[in-house]
Amino acid sequence: MLTRRMFVAYGVAAGLGACARPELTPVAAPAPVIPPLPAFYQAIPDEPYPVPAVPEGVLKPEYWRQEVTNLWPQHARGTIVVDPDDAMLYFIESPEMATRYGVSVGAAGFAWDGTARLQFRREWPVWKVPATMIARKPELAPYSVAKGGMPPGPGNPMGARALYLFENGVDTLYRIHGDADPRELGRNVSSGCIRMLNQDAIHLYGRALHGADVIVLPSMKPKGTDAVY
């Protein structure tokens, strides 16, 4: 026999069951869709050393080489502006327009800011490892300045091109160079200054003007920011 007390108890249980949260199957967020790369990121066959194509599906469009509005119209054509926090490099084309490149920023890229002079540039540069780096990585001792550095080519972290910055005639040790991995653009990396894709480093090298100003904006990130790549 269903008593009044049993009826109330069943009603409460049914109510609790109705309010219980059903188990949900988690739905994975869809992977971002990265459109096909521009043709200028294909392999470059006529260089002294291989420059492979940038792989598809890795490089987000915001880090592609592109023309943008010039944010510094007061500066002359050829001025280079580096924003280490946004991981962007700008080559000023005119008062209205600049070419923007995505970059990755190494520890040395946050260590200096100001206005320097583009003193010289090199194709497939030799990497002369500074003594401070050899102290951390003794295996690099064969590539010291005294021993002539690391020859150019695959495996040389300077990549296909390098731009060297001087301040009042003194080397800042700040470099803009190639050999970036497309996965690292927009990120902090463990070493180096400003790294570009080899395709972009070659493009910038061909436009850069000897003696031009290179303005490195001050970083707002805390000192000692750890690399994330």
Side-chain angles (χ1 to χ4, degrees):
M1 178 181 292
L2 182 63
T3 65
R4 182 174 181 275
R5 180 173 294 180
M6 292 173 62
F7 179 82
V8 171
Y10 287 146
V12 171
L16 291 175
C19 294
R21 180 176 297 172
E23 293 187 8
L24 300 178
T25 302
V27 178
V33 177
I34 299 178
L37 287 168
F40 50 72
Y41 285 131
Q42 294 300 311
I44 302 177
D46 55 354
E47 285 287 321
Y49 304 96
V51 177
V54 176
E56 293 286 355
V58 174
L59 187 61
K60 296 179 180 179
E62 57 262 39
Y63 298 114
W64 295 358
R65 181 200 319 163
Q66 56 194 281
E67 294 182 354
V68 297
T69 300
N70 179 12
L71 303 176
W72 302 274
Q74 70 274 25
H75 294 301
R77 181 187 181 277
T79 301
I80 294 171
V81 180
V82 178
D83 185 337
D85 286 354
D86 281 350
M88 296 292 179
L89 182 150
Y90 300 81
F91 179 87
I92 294 178
E93 305 279 2
S94 70
E96 295 78 28
M97 190 264 288
T99 299
R100 189 182 75 189
Y101 307 84
V103 300
S104 62
V105 184
F110 291 105
W112 183 88
D113 60 74
T115 300
R117 169 188 168 92
L118 178 53
Q119 188 76 6
F120 59 92
R121 53 204 173 114
R122 293 288 183 267
E123 299 185 32
W124 295 100
V126 170
W127 182 36
K128 296 181 179 179
V129 184
T132 53
M133 182 172 288
I134 292 174
R136 298 194 306 271
K137 297 183 177 182
E139 66 272 18
L140 296 176
Y143 309 117
S144 68
V145 175
K147 295 183 178 179
M150 180 183 290
N156 183 317
M158 297 294 282
R161 302 289 189 273
L163 278 57
Y164 298 77
L165 280 57
F166 281 61
E167 184 180 31
N168 299 322
V170 178
D171 189 354
T172 65
L173 301 180
Y174 200 102
R175 307 286 187 257
I176 299 169
H177 60 88
D179 209 39
D181 186 311
R183 297 170 298 171
E184 74 186 35
L185 293 197
R187 302 184 180 188
N188 302 349
V189 291
S190 60
S191 61
C193 292
I194 300 298
R195 298 212 296 241
M196 309 178 72
L197 299 172
N198 277 324
Q199 286 87 344
D200 286 344
I202 291 169
H203 185 266
L204 177 63
Y205 176 95
R207 309 178 71 71
L209 303 177
H210 176 76
D213 284 344
V214 180
I215 302 168
V216 180
L217 302 179
S219 172
M220 297 295 104
K221 293 184 178 180
K223 298 298 182 183
T225 298
D226 289 336
V228 296
Y229 182 85

